[in-house]
Amino acid sequence: MQPNVNVVSLVSIGRHPQSGRSRRAEQDGRAVELGLSLVGEALTVVHVGEDQDPVLRQYAGMGLPSMTVLSQGKECDALPVLTSFLKAQLPSVVLTGVRSESGESSGMLPYLLAEALGWPLVPRVAEILHIKDGQAEVLLALPRGQRRSVQVTLPFIASVDNAAQEARQTAFGPGLRATLHVETVDSVVDDAAIQWEMSAAKPRPKRLKVVKAKTAADRMKAATAKPVGGGGKIMKNETPAEKAQAIFDLLLEEKVVR
Amino acid sequence: MIFDWLPPTLIGVLLVLAGIGAVRRINLWRAGQSEKVDILAGLMAMPKRYLHDLHHVVERDKYMSRTHVATGGGFVLAMVLVVFVHLFGVKSEILAWALLAALVIMFCGALFVAKRRLNPPSRLSKGPWMRLPKSLLTFSITFFVLTLPAAGILPEGFGGWLLTVVLSVLILMSLGEMLFGMTWGGPMKHAFAGALHLAFHRRPERFGGGRSTGLKPAVLGGDVHGVSKPTDFKWNQLLGFDACVQCGRCEAVCPAFAAGQPLNPKKLIQDMVVGFAGGTDEKYAGSPYPDGSGGVQDVGNAVGGKDQIITNGLINPDTLWSCTTCRACVEECPMMIEHVDAIVDMRRFLTLEKGDTPNKGAQVLENIIATDNPNGYSPASRTHWAADQNLNVMKEVKQADVLFWVSDGAFDMRSQRILRSFVTLLKAAKVDVAILGDEERDSGDVARRLGDDATFQSLAKRNLATMSQYRFNTIVTTDPHAFHCLKNEYGDFGSTALDGVEVLHHTTFLNRLIKEGRLQLDAFSGGKVTYHDPCYLGRYNGEYDAPRELLASLGIEVAEMERSGYRSRCCGGGGGVPITDIPGERRIADMRMEDVISTGAEMVAVGCQQCTAMLEGVVEPRPVVKDIAEILAGQLKEMH
Amino acid sequence: MSNFSSNDDALHSVFRRDLRTEWIARNRLHPLHDSVVSAQQGGEVRGPTGLLRKNPHVIGFIGPNGLKRIDRANGSFVAIGGKKRVPSAKDSQRPLHLVENPEGYIMVVGDMIGGRLTSHDKDILGLAHQLAAEKSKVAVVLVCFGENKETQCDLAGVDRVIHLEGNVFEGFAPEAGLSVLQQIETSYQPMHWLFPDSVHGGSDLGSRLAARLGERPATQAWQVTSEKTISRGASGSQDISRTTPRILMLMEECANAVEDTRHEALPLALEFDVSMAEGDHRLIDQGQIDVDSNAVPLAEAEFILSAGNGIHNWDQFHSAAAALRATEGASRVAVDDGFMPRSRQVGASGTWVTARVYLAVGISGAIQHMQGIGQCDKVVAINTDAGCDMVKRADLAVIADSEAILAELTRLAQQRELSKEEEESDAA
Ligand SMILES: Cc1cc2nc3c(=O)[nH]c(=O)nc-3n(C[C@H](O)[C@H](O)[C@H](O)COP(=O)(O)OP(=O)(O)OC[C@H]3O[C@@H](n4cnc5c(N)ncnc54)[C@H](O)[C@@H]3O)c2cc1C
Ligand code: SF4
Ligand code: SF4
């Protein structure tokens, strides 16, 4: 632990993908987890939004003695409020999720904060290895479990990837007893967003393999081809070498063997 | 004679010391949380509880029950008379003869105790308990000799001062065990604590043939949830722990112990005693906790104190998470100790305060909170299984004779087969039935057993609120866990939704339908069938007969397993244990399947989707597993 | 700056004879003779003098009478063994889309994984042309950093290319990239900036540019016209419909890739001093860490070789996993029996995996196991029991003894490894 580093984790209200109910957001939970592993209870956890939301108790239940809520309405822009809060606090590390689970989900917040504060930003962090002499060594999550090591100068902003340590379980009792420091702030309504039309997501059609049939033979083939994904292929009587070759071809086709 | 004063003085002194010990002991218990108990009524009821209820359990071991009547009865009688004859010096030959008779009875009993101790089974604790028969024998012989003069058999002063001194030494030894030990923590403590435990039991409903199996709701909102340190238990729970005779019957039936998981209910109760009395477990002389990989844990390292967090040094959380809450131990305990209550109390602390539910626990609880089902499926897909079933939904019909509580089996393809079979039967019997559809939520069983009583209570209240909008006479469910919650645990939340509603398991309900002649079934002609009693149907709710009668109605003669009925061995699916998944040497389900196989059965009938899942999780080849509803639906006579 | 057209290699690059191949092609007894000959059949063959010899038997060859040789079973023609995809005649027949003296630009910043356009990049190029078509004289510009191996920019719809190479752009260098983008912004004032909304750097760079320029981008956009954009919000559960902004981060399949036209793929000048792109000294890339395929967390693994009760030779299993560079998984039985650690268990009480390919060897497919692989793309089963549930679920199932198949697979993997090494030493 690095008790003398000032770390702030930003949290938002998540959304369960199946039920659509509010919950502790996956990545924000990981941001709190990462913060706790860095500085323990010295971590500052900040939420911008409504102070009555029960989800805040789920974050607090991770063992936070207190949380800060910059209280403002749903339709307000979190950026100006957070910028002035962070300018006043001057933390060394600010942790956020990559994308929020509710609202626009643009993932722009860490970038805009970094821009406003003039700090470097490391995206998709899997782990912060250590913080020493004003420098942090950070592992970025790359696809397929790969990692990249980056050294970054404090203060910085990091967005926390799903590959980071999973958020610890939230406990009911401590969550209930944690104190919420509610600060009322001058908030700015997000005008642009008000113009938008929001609707339930339409399912996107899966792209079909469009065969640009230029010959009759082509059209015939396209019409009679076995549909993709309709039940699997079973190989029984071929030789082991043929069977293995079929598997290997599939591995190549899926590009998992290179 | 110079030493004549010695025996009465010794008796007196030891009685006083015992009295002091008793006060001390009582104070240890009183350090627990207050709980309202009717002291007087309890004390009055105690003899009956002892003679009737306790002996009902002890009777299962005939040898021990007779031995205990002789030894215990003889001792109590003898002790009372000793006080009159030897302490107060009441000169009455009748009393003296009565005393002699009591001592002879006790002596005979003690001989049998000694015999059992010659080659004791592993479930019995050794250590001081090996000394007990000697103390019992010494007590009866010593006082026998001491009483002979009072009975006029031997002249006064027989044997001179030498005999008196020898007898005094023996008195010190035996009465030391019997009186001093009783209140200062020797094996005889069980008599003192046991008697009071019977009087002040936390579940008095259990006496007189009753049943009380629902967990008590946790109080939410305080400084601590659940039991963190011994003094967070209710005082009469602490008293209950003290009543343990270390007979190890609980150990012998515990499925987790047999599977080599780090749990032994007897040791757990003894650790509770170490906890509130302070000290270490070094004096424990029974089987230790298994270590999960075929060996055992060392004894002597566990340290406890009444204000120390139990899971810091006294008990490893894995011990608590190994329990399937099958209640086999509770059912078997002659002292009627409530292991499951204690275990869940401590789990509540781990989950609600520490946020430390192992393995998939955290995720399952999070899912239950966010989606009302443990696997995080969309709540809007709860009724997909019934798309082709044409079932009435309460939201539309508002009332029905029977509410079919579907349970989370709705999301599981295997369980859906059971649900569909049951619906087929309901339709064949033309039952006026409806379901709650997507308005139903998880019953809260798993959350509660995992210690998350906050979530359980929230689910219970929401389910009750939903049900209170509709009218129905009966709830039927194929899930014994939901059955138990609805029947025994939902009553604590002040709702009238279930007033006058009968909650039934599907086997009970189907049995009625058959008795009323509403279902026409063909005889079953498959092979040999055995039946597995689900814990939450059998031990929790006493339903052993309906499933057997149903099978009999198909002409099936159940090939009973050795452990069946109230002694049924758990399938390993209860208490959230498949979720916390504490490693053991073996799997409980595998052991249960061995029980099944040893009957030679080709099929095991069950009455629970969880048991079905657990038993089908045993690798093939193995007997077929089917829910009774599935078997019945297969034998339904075609209607023309 | 190089040119990335598909037809440039034969015309512009220096011709080098491959004496060994020629020798093998002549020597009919050589073991590789067949493969070499068939490889050469697709394209032109160099005569001993270096002159191009045309093979009149090849499909698409236009004979002296002007008739084109066609393939009735269209599509069966595959260039076997060719190291580079040879542009088929059909491609070179595509009409060339010319943009002379463009008056506007749409910048597409590709992910270019491994130096090649990804299918995501191509979709976005397709979209860029849809947007460009609504105005005249708009060029679609591909902006790319680092090594560029793409040979088919022309077919993917690239009118112009801005390509920057140099050490500053290697690895994780978002600030260097951003400084280039800013320079482009000043020089060309593009109509749109299009980025793939991907984990490969597209969304990072796009977000940086948007923050720097102070423009609100649309992220996770999937339906875009020049007026209106529909993008996903609230973790994919909502559609946000708004006026199309200048900066867009686009989802896969946001449009169809270019298919009918060829493009110039000409370099576009940019006044940019690479030495200026020093980047941010506060971010120092220390390089990618070599994560062993078996050290990859099970939940993140893309290819899992999973063992069940039907594995009897564990050494062989482990070496097969190593040869295939797969992450190892296991059924509960394999874990219970002590052959695999608990952390490798897949299923209800183990890990829920998301692999692209899940290869289940000797696993029966119990419900609890299946729960764990629900999100896998392709499931392959090796099992002796054709009736088991895993075979029913599998996209490809092989009914055979696990040991025999694993032996073959290991052999195939090692063979491929060898031939890849050869290829690399050949290329060197
Ligand atoms: C509550 C609960 C939770 C569970 N959680 C999990 C879990 O998370 N993960 C999990 O995996 N299981 C879990 N199980 C166990 C599950 O039910 C099955 O028992 C287990 O998955 C079976 O493992 P298996 O397929 O390896 O073994 P088996 O069922 O024995 O299957 C072995 C397969 O190998 C084939 N085979 C045999 N020999 C060969 C050979 N030489 N070559 C090729 N094939 C061969 C057989 O045909 C068979 O299909 C759980 C069970 C329960 C009750
Ligand atoms: S808890 Fe009950 S069953 Fe277990 S040893 Fe003690 S008295 Fe016996
Ligand atoms: S309830 Fe069952 S598993 Fe738990 S301790 Fe008692 S016997 Fe063991």
Side-chain angles (χ1 to χ4, degrees):
Chain A
M1 272 212 255
Q2 328 252 346
N4 37 12
V5 185
N6 187 353
V7 180
V8 171
S9 294
L10 307 180
V11 298
S12 61
I13 307 300
R15 174 190 179 279
H16 192 279
Q18 293 301 325
S19 66
R21 278 191 224 159
S22 350
R23 63 157 181 183
R24 172 176 69 164
E26 273 283 331
Q27 293 167 341
D28 296 356
R30 287 172 206 257
V32 174
E33 182 64 44
L34 184 56
L36 283 171
S37 73
L38 286 174
V39 293
E41 289 190 355
L43 175 72
T44 310
V45 176
V46 181
H47 171 69
V48 186
E50 280 156 20
D51 53 71
Q52 294 300 321
D53 203 306
V55 172
L56 298 181
R57 299 284 167 192
Q58 294 183 13
Y59 286 107
M62 294 174 74
L64 311 172
S66 70
M67 273 178 76
T68 305
V69 184
L70 308 177
S71 175
Q72 66 172 22
K74 263 206 169 79
E75 64 296 333
C76 296
D77 189 357
L79 183 73
V81 178
L82 270 175
T83 312
S84 54
F85 176 84
L86 292 174
K87 274 186 178 151
Q89 286 265 319
L90 286 181
S92 315
V93 182
V94 175
L95 303 171
T96 73
V98 173
R99 259 187 224 279
S100 69
E101 293 174 1
S102 46
E104 192 187 351
S105 286
S106 70
M108 282 301 291
L109 183 88
Y111 291 92
L112 294 169
L113 278 177
E115 195 64 34
L117 297 167
W119 294 359
L121 175 129
V122 266
R124 299 195 166 267
V125 166
E127 218 177 318
I128 295 184
L129 293 179
H130 54 74
I131 300 179
K132 212 169 52 197
D133 307 329
Q135 300 271 327
E137 193 179 339
V138 176
L139 291 188
L140 306 193
L142 304 183
R144 298 180 204 119
Q146 300 299 306
R147 302 282 184 264
R148 179 186 295 285
S149 161
V150 169
Q151 195 172 337
V152 53
T153 310
L154 303 187
F156 68 94
I157 296 185
S159 65
V160 179
D161 189 84
N162 285 354
Q165 171 69 40
E166 199 178 340
R168 67 192 61 182
Q169 186 177 356
T170 145
F172 176 80
L176 204 63
R177 294 188 296 269
T179 34
L180 296 188
H181 300 298
V182 181
E183 293 178 25
T184 11
V185 287
D186 301 332
S187 42
V188 185
V189 173
D190 184 351
D191 291 319
I194 288 177
Q195 317 275 316
W196 300 342
E197 271 171 53
M198 309 281 270
S199 58
K202 265 188 280 173
R204 295 178 63 194
K206 261 227 175 274
R207 176 184 285 176
L208 299 172
K209 270 218 155 63
V210 194
V211 182
K212 291 231 166 147
K214 289 197 172 126
T215 68
D218 258 350
R219 275 193 295 274
M220 185 62 190
K221 227 164 81 179
T224 54
K226 190 168 158 276
V228 195
K233 178 178 166 197
I234 301 183
M235 298 177 77
K236 269 192 193 144
N237 301 322
E238 292 79 351
T239 66
E242 285 165 345
K243 291 170 176 166
Q245 189 65 52
I247 296 178
F248 201 70
D249 289 345
L250 182 140
L251 300 180
L252 289 174
E253 189 183 319
E254 292 295 320
K255 300 201 178 70
V256 292
V257 164
R258 278 170 286 252
Chain B
M1 289 262 267
I2 25 174
F3 289 116
D4 269 1
W5 53 271
L6 198 54
T9 314
L10 278 177
I11 298 170
V13 168
L14 283 168
L15 270 174
V16 171
L17 283 178
I20 296 174
V23 172
R24 258 190 83 242
R25 206 76 203 168
I26 290 171
N27 278 333
L28 287 180
W29 303 329
R30 278 165 39 105
Q33 303 295 305
S34 64
E35 166 104 327
K36 240 186 117 46
V37 175
D38 192 338
I39 302 275
L40 210 61
L43 285 172
M44 306 264 284
M46 191 249 285
K48 182 161 176 267
R49 290 176 179 179
Y50 172 78
L51 291 169
H52 180 263
D53 299 287
L54 187 140
H55 257 271
H56 179 71
V57 181
V58 183
E59 271 282 273
R60 294 173 189 165
D61 182 347
K62 289 259 162 26
Y63 178 102
M64 210 45 226
S65 104
R66 287 176 195 147
T67 304
H68 192 257
V69 170
T71 325
F75 168 71
V76 172
L77 192 58
M79 198 57 229
V80 172
L81 292 169
V82 161
V83 171
F84 284 104
V85 174
H86 296 291
L87 188 66
F88 300 150
V90 176
K91 296 262 185 281
S92 155
E93 283 200 9
I94 302 174
L95 281 188
W97 275 99
L99 175 53
L100 288 181
L103 288 167
V104 170
I105 297 172
M106 179 179 170
F107 180 77
C108 296
L111 279 181
F112 282 101
V113 178
K115 188 171 157 235
R116 158 102 6 148
R117 287 280 159 184
L118 280 182
N119 205 353
S122 67
R123 65 176 165 89
L124 291 178
S125 287
K126 317 292 182 310
W129 292 88
M130 295 306 277
R131 191 180 73 206
L132 188 59
K134 290 174 206 138
S135 310
L136 292 169
L137 289 172
T138 314
F139 176 91
S140 45
I141 294 169
T142 309
F143 279 94
F144 193 82
V145 174
L146 194 67
T147 312
L148 287 178
I153 297 172
L154 287 176
E156 289 288 328
F158 173 84
W161 63 271
L162 186 66
L163 183 63
T164 312
V165 170
V166 170
L167 286 179
S168 297
V169 171
L170 293 177
I171 288 174
L172 195 64
M173 279 167 52
S174 59
L175 260 196
E177 176 87 273
M178 306 303 287
L179 287 183
F180 183 74
M182 185 178 289
T183 58
W184 290 82
M188 282 306 290
K189 182 188 72 185
H190 81 271
F192 168 56
L196 294 178
H197 169 57
L198 288 183
F200 309 136
H201 200 282
R202 198 165 172 231
R203 295 176 179 273
E205 307 86 352
R206 284 186 66 193
F207 300 107
R211 196 173 288 279
S212 165
T213 54
L215 292 173
K216 314 257 181 208
V219 182
L220 302 178
D223 277 344
V224 69
H225 295 87
V227 166
S228 65
K229 44 194 198 307
T231 49
D232 290 336
F233 281 114
K234 304 288 183 209
W235 71 271
N236 49 357
Q237 284 181 288
L238 297 179
L239 164 59
F241 302 145
D242 240 359
C244 173
V245 281
Q246 302 198 36
C247 65
R249 288 185 185 206
C250 52
E251 168 186 318
V253 296
C254 175
F257 180 78
Q261 288 173 290
L263 169 63
N264 174 348
K266 176 173 91 173
K267 169 90 166 68
L268 181 95
I269 297 301
Q270 285 313 304
D271 284 348
M272 295 294 99
V273 175
V274 168
F276 75 79
T280 74
D281 67 341
E282 64 194 350
K283 292 206 199 74
Y284 175 72
S287 322
Y289 295 126
D291 66 1
S293 54
V296 293
Q297 295 178 11
D298 291 339
V299 169
N301 306 325
V303 191
K306 71 182 172 61
D307 289 319
Q308 276 171 33
I309 305 240
I310 295 171
T311 41
N312 281 357
L314 184 58
I315 286 191
N316 187 319
D318 281 358
T319 296
L320 304 175
W321 296 116
S322 297
C323 172
T324 68
T325 67
C326 71
R327 269 186 93 82
C329 50
V330 183
E331 184 77 30
E332 206 68 7
C333 177
M335 304 308 287
M336 310 191 96
I337 293 169
E338 296 281 345
H339 312 66
V340 177
D341 283 354
I343 289 171
V344 174
D345 280 342
M346 291 184 277
R347 285 185 180 184
R348 284 178 181 168
F349 171 70
L350 291 173
T351 293
L352 293 176
E353 288 297 331
K354 307 294 281 182
D356 216 354
T357 321
N359 288 325
K360 294 269 155 186
Q363 200 185 332
V364 164
L365 291 175
E366 213 163 289
N367 283 338
I368 296 179
I369 291 169
T371 63
D372 299 331
N373 70 78
N375 283 316
Y377 294 112
S378 161
S381 65
R382 188 176 274 277
T383 323
H384 285 181
W385 71 276
D388 56 348
Q389 300 289 308
N390 245 330
L391 278 168
N392 284 337
V393 179
M394 275 296 184
K395 203 170 188 164
E396 284 150 21
V397 296
K398 305 289 182 207
Q399 61 177 20
D401 180 31
V402 173
L403 169 64
F404 172 24
W405 185 273
V406 176
S407 84
D408 293 335
F411 296 105
D412 172 59
M413 293 218 306
R414 175 63 184 93
S415 307
Q416 288 167 6
R417 299 218 304 263
I418 303 175
L419 298 174
R420 289 203 191 92
S421 301
F422 183 55
V423 171
T424 309
L425 294 166
L426 290 175
K427 284 190 176 151
K430 305 205 168 50
V431 176
D432 170 24
V433 63
I435 57 175
L436 287 175
D438 289 348
E439 286 188 297
E440 191 183 304
R441 297 173 185 86
D442 179 84
S443 64
D445 168 69
V446 170
R448 179 163 247 200
R449 306 317 130 182
L450 288 178
D452 189 348
D453 224 44
T455 300
F456 167 76
Q457 293 185 20
S458 145
L459 285 167
K461 286 175 188 158
R462 284 181 289 147
N463 276 327
L464 285 165
T466 305
M467 286 189 285
S468 67
Q469 302 167 14
Y470 308 121
R471 295 227 323 268
F472 45 90
N473 304 314
T474 311
I475 301 184
V476 182
T477 176
T478 51
D479 174 9
H481 296 262
F483 172 50
H484 167 68
C485 289
L486 288 163
K487 184 167 173 224
N488 305 320
E489 296 188 339
Y490 273 28
D492 290 325
F493 302 102
S495 163
T496 54
L498 297 182
D499 286 357
V501 171
E502 198 178 17
V503 185
L504 294 176
H505 186 246
H506 71 306
T507 54
T508 317
F509 185 74
L510 289 171
N511 199 27
R512 284 192 197 167
L513 292 181
I514 289 196
K515 283 189 176 156
E516 289 165 12
R518 290 168 69 183
L519 280 174
Q520 304 300 318
L521 301 171
D522 288 326
F524 180 82
S525 54
K528 212 173 189 183
V529 177
T530 187
Y531 171 68
H532 163 78
D533 289 276
C535 307
Y536 277 73
L537 182 61
R539 277 187 293 271
Y540 274 81
N541 286 292
E543 182 59 280
Y544 303 109
D545 297 335
R548 290 182 167 78
E549 287 175 21
L550 280 173
L551 292 172
S553 74
L554 295 175
I556 295 173
E557 202 180 310
V558 175
E560 292 286 359
M561 288 182 264
E562 193 183 310
R563 289 185 59 176
S564 64
Y566 70 85
R567 279 207 165 136
S568 168
R569 195 208 300 256
C570 181
C571 67
V577 153
I579 295 160
T580 55
D581 203 20
I582 303 299
E585 202 190 341
R586 273 179 292 169
R587 292 220 169 253
I588 295 174
D590 291 353
M591 298 190 302
R592 189 54 174 162
M593 194 47 92
E594 278 162 28
D595 294 349
V596 170
I597 291 169
S598 67
T599 64
E602 288 158 40
M603 175 160 84
V604 50
V606 292
C608 171
Q609 64 211 20
Q610 183 72 0
C611 298
T612 310
M614 297 306 293
L615 294 175
E616 285 193 342
V618 175
V619 298
E620 291 181 283
R622 51 155 170 73
V624 176
V625 185
K626 271 194 179 173
D627 190 275
I628 290 187
E630 294 179 274
I631 302 175
L632 290 178
Q635 302 310 114
L636 206 54
K637 270 203 170 76
E638 293 293 331
M639 293 289 175
H640 298 287
Chain C
M1 226 170 261
S2 53
N3 192 334
F4 308 112
S5 300
S6 55
N7 51 2
D8 72 325
D9 42 12
L11 299 177
H12 303 288
S13 58
V14 182
F15 170 64
R16 218 180 103 211
R17 283 179 65 185
D18 185 345
L19 294 175
R20 181 166 170 268
T21 313
E22 286 173 14
W23 171 67
I24 294 173
R26 285 195 303 273
N27 180 358
R28 270 187 286 163
L29 295 177
H30 193 279
L32 294 179
H33 173 79
D34 281 350
S35 60
V36 166
V37 170
S38 60
Q40 289 179 340
Q41 265 170 5
E44 305 93 336
V45 183
R46 294 275 169 192
T49 56
L51 277 180
L52 260 188
R53 277 188 189 166
K54 296 216 167 148
N55 175 357
H57 304 295
V58 153
I59 297 137
F61 182 78
I62 302 175
N65 51 8
L67 279 183
K68 197 169 124 198
R69 199 180 169 85
I70 57 164
D71 172 25
R72 291 190 195 283
N74 194 349
S76 69
F77 160 67
V78 188
I80 317 157
K83 282 175 193 169
K84 279 188 181 142
R85 185 180 169 280
V86 180
S88 72
K90 216 162 73 192
D91 289 340
S92 53
Q93 294 287 307
R94 292 185 186 181
L96 185 66
H97 174 91
L98 281 174
V99 188
E100 280 164 280
N101 305 321
E103 288 162 9
Y105 297 91
I106 295 179
M107 301 291 165
V108 175
V109 185
D111 276 336
M112 305 287 292
I113 299 173
R116 293 200 170 86
L117 288 170
T118 64
S119 64
H120 197 173
D121 291 341
K122 290 180 186 167
D123 292 347
I124 293 172
L125 286 166
L127 179 77
H129 277 286
Q130 286 178 17
L131 295 174
E134 297 179 28
K135 301 242 166 58
S136 62
K137 296 208 146 203
V138 173
V140 171
V141 186
L142 174 71
V143 180
C144 57
F145 301 100
E147 195 185 12
N148 186 335
K149 295 189 199 146
E150 184 58 60
T151 55
Q152 302 209 356
C153 284
D154 56 340
L155 300 181
V158 178
D159 297 322
R160 300 286 186 274
V161 186
I162 296 179
H163 177 217
L164 286 128
E165 259 178 314
N167 284 337
V168 278
F169 302 113
E170 296 297 325
F172 176 69
E175 296 287 345
L178 181 59
S179 58
V180 173
L181 301 191
Q182 275 184 275
Q183 183 59 40
I184 296 175
E185 170 75 14
T186 342
S187 313
Y188 290 102
Q189 303 281 320
M191 281 167 53
H192 286 293
W193 282 99
L194 308 185
F195 296 84
D197 200 335
S198 73
V199 296
H200 301 285
S203 101
D204 182 49
L205 208 49
S207 304
R208 282 178 201 268
L209 183 69
R212 178 64 45 90
L213 301 183
E215 295 206 29
R216 191 159 191 162
T219 59
Q220 310 225 44
W222 63 278
Q223 233 180 50
V224 183
T225 64
S226 54
E227 277 87 47
K228 204 166 135 187
T229 291
I230 301 183
S231 62
R232 291 283 203 232
S235 51
S237 67
Q238 288 204 307
D239 276 336
I240 303 175
S241 150
R242 64 177 122 185
T243 327
T244 299
R246 209 160 67 92
I247 304 180
L248 289 142
M249 287 166 244
L250 297 142
M251 294 174 79
E252 264 178 283
E253 303 191 0
C254 54
N256 287 327
V258 170
E259 273 174 346
D260 301 326
T261 44
R262 258 181 328 124
H263 297 256
E264 300 162 285
L266 296 174
L268 185 65
L270 180 70
E271 274 193 35
F272 188 79
D273 186 354
V274 171
S275 65
M276 267 165 44
E278 278 302 280
D280 191 334
H281 289 295
R282 296 175 302 180
L283 281 177
I284 303 167
D285 182 9
Q286 300 179 319
Q288 197 165 334
I289 291 175
D290 209 14
V291 183
D292 180 39
S293 57
N294 215 12
V296 171
L298 208 46
E300 284 180 65
E302 74 156 355
F303 173 28
I304 297 176
L305 182 68
S306 201
N309 205 9
I311 291 279
H312 307 295
N313 181 345
W314 286 93
D315 290 336
Q316 185 206 31
F317 171 76
H318 295 306
S319 58
L324 290 166
R325 302 200 183 186
T327 307
E328 289 181 8
S331 77
R332 194 181 75 175
V333 175
V335 172
D336 279 357
D337 292 347
F339 293 118
M340 293 288 282
R342 269 191 143 217
S343 58
R344 292 282 148 201
Q345 181 177 321
V346 173
S349 42
T351 308
W352 293 40
V353 299
T354 55
R356 182 124 48 107
V357 178
Y358 186 79
L359 179 41
V361 194
I363 300 179
S364 61
I367 276 183
Q368 295 88 358
H369 190 85
M370 292 313 213
Q371 273 180 16
I373 62 171
Q375 293 181 58
C376 290
D377 252 12
K378 285 261 160 35
V379 173
V380 182
I382 303 177
N383 205 303
T384 42
D385 174 9
C388 73
D389 287 330
M390 185 60 83
V391 169
K392 286 183 196 139
R393 159 73 170 85
D395 299 277
L396 170 63
V398 154
I399 311 305
D401 179 60
S402 57
E403 207 165 335
I405 304 294
L406 285 183
E408 287 293 326
L409 276 175
T410 314
R411 192 181 55 77
L412 286 169
Q414 284 164 348
Q415 230 174 32
R416 185 173 168 83
E417 209 49 38
L418 275 182
S419 66
K420 251 169 52 186
E421 271 164 34
E422 249 172 49
E423 191 176 316
E424 262 156 40
S425 58
D426 275 3

